[in-house]
Amino acid sequence: MGKLVVCVAVVCSAAAAVMLMKRRMKNCGEWGKAMAILKEFEEKCATSVGKLRQVADAMSVEMHAGLVSEGGSKLKMLISYVDNLPTGDEQGLYYALDLGGTNFRVMRVQLGGKENRIVKHEVKEVSIPQNVMAGSSSDVLFDFIATALAEFVATEGDDFHLPPGRQRELGFTFSFPVKQLSIASGTLIKWTKGFSIEDVVGQDVVGELTKAMERVGLDVRVAALVNDTVGTLAGGRYNNPDVIAAVILGTGTNAAYVERAHAIPKWHGLLPKSGEMVINMEWGNFRSTHLPVTEYDQNLDAESLNPAEQIYEKMISGMYLGEILRRVLCRMAEEASLFGDYVPQRLKIPFILRTPDMAAMHHDESADLKVVGNKLKDILEVPNSTLKTRKIVVELCDIITSRGAHLSAAGIVGILKKLGIDTLKNGEKHRSVVAVDGALFERYTKFRNCMEGTIKELLGDAADSIVIELSSDGSGVGAALLAASHSQYLGLDES
């Protein structure tokens, strides 16, 4: 009997050892799959200096094509009608209205010329109710905005001075697709960001706002209609006369720059006295065969609200970086059991991984990657993750972020190339500044450092003459500044 017990124990022990060996072999096999997926993704995201130069060249070519004719390029290269950027000499009281999402901002600034600059400014943010965003009439939305603006104007204190007999003037930042007709008029092409008031489409948004202000008894002239990128350029130029372009790198992305008016063949009007015109590139729609598009990008695009559009934006902007990470992790979980024998259900929810969460994991420098573990637990409900798994997550963050930063850098170099300032000519020294706004650039340190380093690498000897400068919240103040630089009272004695 004793021999039988010993024999059974030996058999059980051997079976357990075999099971353990099989589990280890399975784990090794699955780990190998995970690493293979990682390596394949890294290779497909690769952006060599040579490839980035090709992207920059392609951006420059598309810019040229977009300036020749409407529809001649994936880049819209929209004429903004802004031909007078702020100089710092502006004086007086100006208002700004910034409408671009579920909240809008109203702002007033008192400008004091070169000596005093912005003497004082005040801002108020107003939340737009859902029934107003999706109302049945344009009057509902614009009356709501005009009423809030009138209430804000009514709180104007003694620190703000409007010369007697003058009309208040306003810069209107309207961050929706618009066909610009002049510096102070433009028709809405389509709503985005949850707005769906059909009878506004095709209408002049400045005209709608002006009528609403008249209905509430508010006497304010809209002096400039701009988008947020043009506003950022204006704000950047006000603070630094060397600013030649502005880039938004936030939830979305776009760029605007100062072009020589005679280099715009599709411009048929009189050349502006300044000889310059700000171009709103709408660069998020850039695409090229040189972009390192992966299967994850293709699937994200196919399932998006705007398939085959905004390809560049979907590879570099804050709205999408976290979603790309989720898609790669989902494949690893399904095919390589990255999180064990189950696929976290929450990992299947699109956009559950936000780019700020991704940045927090990417910036985790603790020995056990505690932040990564906490994020996986809190967001994806993965209770226990191994250090090896956490390291893979960080590696994926690095691959996705580096690609986005590299491509952003190539886009900026493309603009510099179009302007002919990407190289030093005859040893001449010049200084050009690109103003950048947006949370992705401002708060995602690894993205920012990688982008700036790549620009320097691509420019070589010319890098010392190009400055990338943060222009935090430049669009709101920029709209007020553009109202000043396009004021009906320009040239009159401000005293």
Side-chain angles (χ1 to χ4, degrees), residues 317-349:
S317 77
M319 173 129 184
Y320 299 100
L321 298 185
E323 173 62 5
I324 296 169
L325 173 63
R326 183 196 71 82
R327 287 170 178 269
V328 183
L329 288 175
C330 201
R331 182 184 169 197
M332 285 185 168
E334 291 171 345
E335 298 182 16
S337 302
L338 182 66
F339 300 107
D341 294 332
Y342 75 106
V343 177
Q345 285 302 304
R346 289 179 66 81
L347 187 57
K348 297 179 181 179
I349 302 173

Side-chain angles (χ1 to χ4, degrees), residues 38-50:
L38 176 70
K39 185 178 180 183
E40 177 192 40
F41 182 60
E42 185 175 27
E43 288 173 351
K44 288 185 177 179
C45 285
T47 46
S48 64
V49 171

Side-chain angles (χ1 to χ4, degrees), residues 150-419:
E151 291 171 356
F152 184 65
V153 170
T155 64
E156 196 177 281
D158 294 337
D159 293 335
F160 295 91
H161 310 288
L162 183 71
R166 294 209 174 165
Q167 189 181 24
R168 288 178 180 83
E169 295 182 293
L170 174 143
F172 187 10
T173 302
F174 188 77
S175 300
F176 299 91
V178 161
K179 180 176 176 56
Q180 195 101 13
L181 304 173
S182 70
I183 184 60
S185 65
T187 57
L188 176 67
I189 297 171
K190 65 177 179 179
W191 284 114
T192 56
K193 308 174 189 177
F195 285 78
S196 57
I197 309 163
E198 285 305 313
D199 69 351
V200 186
V201 176
Q203 299 299 313
D204 177 9
V205 293
V206 172
E208 294 297 312
L209 176 61
T210 300
K211 286 186 287 185
M213 289 191 293
E214 290 172 354
R215 284 194 293 270
V216 300
L218 182 61
D219 183 22
V220 175
R221 172 181 175 264
V222 179
L225 173 68
V226 298
N227 82 339
D228 54 355
T229 319
V230 175
T232 298
L233 177 55
R237 174 65 73 91
Y238 181 76
N239 292 313
N240 190 330
D242 294 328
V243 167
I244 48 91
V247 174
I248 301 285
L249 286 166
T251 304
T253 185
N254 193 14
Y257 74 104
V258 183
E259 182 60 273
R260 295 152 297 181
H262 63 76
I264 311 173
K266 68 180 180 182
W267 171 258
H268 300 302
L270 294 173
L271 291 179
K273 292 178 182 178
S274 66
E276 296 180 336
M277 179 65 71
V278 173
I279 298 295
N280 167 21
M281 292 175 59
E282 293 293 340
W283 84 348
N285 205 43
F286 170 70
R287 67 188 308 166
S288 163
T289 55
H290 302 300
L291 293 176
V293 179
T294 68
E295 63 185 276
Y296 308 100
D297 301 302
Q298 291 169 339
N299 292 336
L300 185 156
D301 175 56
E303 296 166 24
S304 70
L305 295 173
N306 54 345
E309 295 180 12
Q310 303 296 106
I311 301 301
Y312 188 56
E313 179 172 76
K314 289 169 184 171
M315 298 176 75
I316 71 174
S317 77
M319 173 129 184
Y320 299 100
L321 298 185
E323 173 62 5
I324 296 169
L325 173 63
R326 183 196 71 82
R327 287 170 178 269
V328 183
L329 288 175
C330 201
R331 182 184 169 197
M332 285 185 168
E334 291 171 345
E335 298 182 16
S337 302
L338 182 66
F339 300 107
D341 294 332
Y342 75 106
V343 177
Q345 285 302 304
R346 289 179 66 81
L347 187 57
K348 297 179 181 179
I349 302 173
F351 294 96
I352 193 169
L353 270 177
R354 297 162 52 251
T355 299
D357 299 316
M358 177 179 170
M361 293 191 289
H362 196 182
H363 290 145
D364 187 1
E365 295 181 351
S366 61
D368 60 350
L369 297 176
K370 186 178 180 179
V371 174
V372 178
N374 287 339
K375 288 291 182 185
L376 294 176
K377 182 179 178 181
D378 295 343
I379 300 168
L380 301 181
E381 296 181 352
V382 176
N384 299 300
S385 54
T386 65
L387 183 58
K388 285 203 304 185
T389 296
R390 296 176 190 182
K391 285 182 176 178
I392 274 198
V393 172
V394 174
E395 280 193 66
L396 287 173
C397 290
D398 195 61
I399 293 167
I400 294 165
T401 301
S402 296
R403 182 186 70 164
H406 291 160
L407 294 176
S408 302
I412 291 172
V413 171
I415 295 173
L416 301 176
K417 187 179 183 67
K418 168 67 180 70
L419 293 174

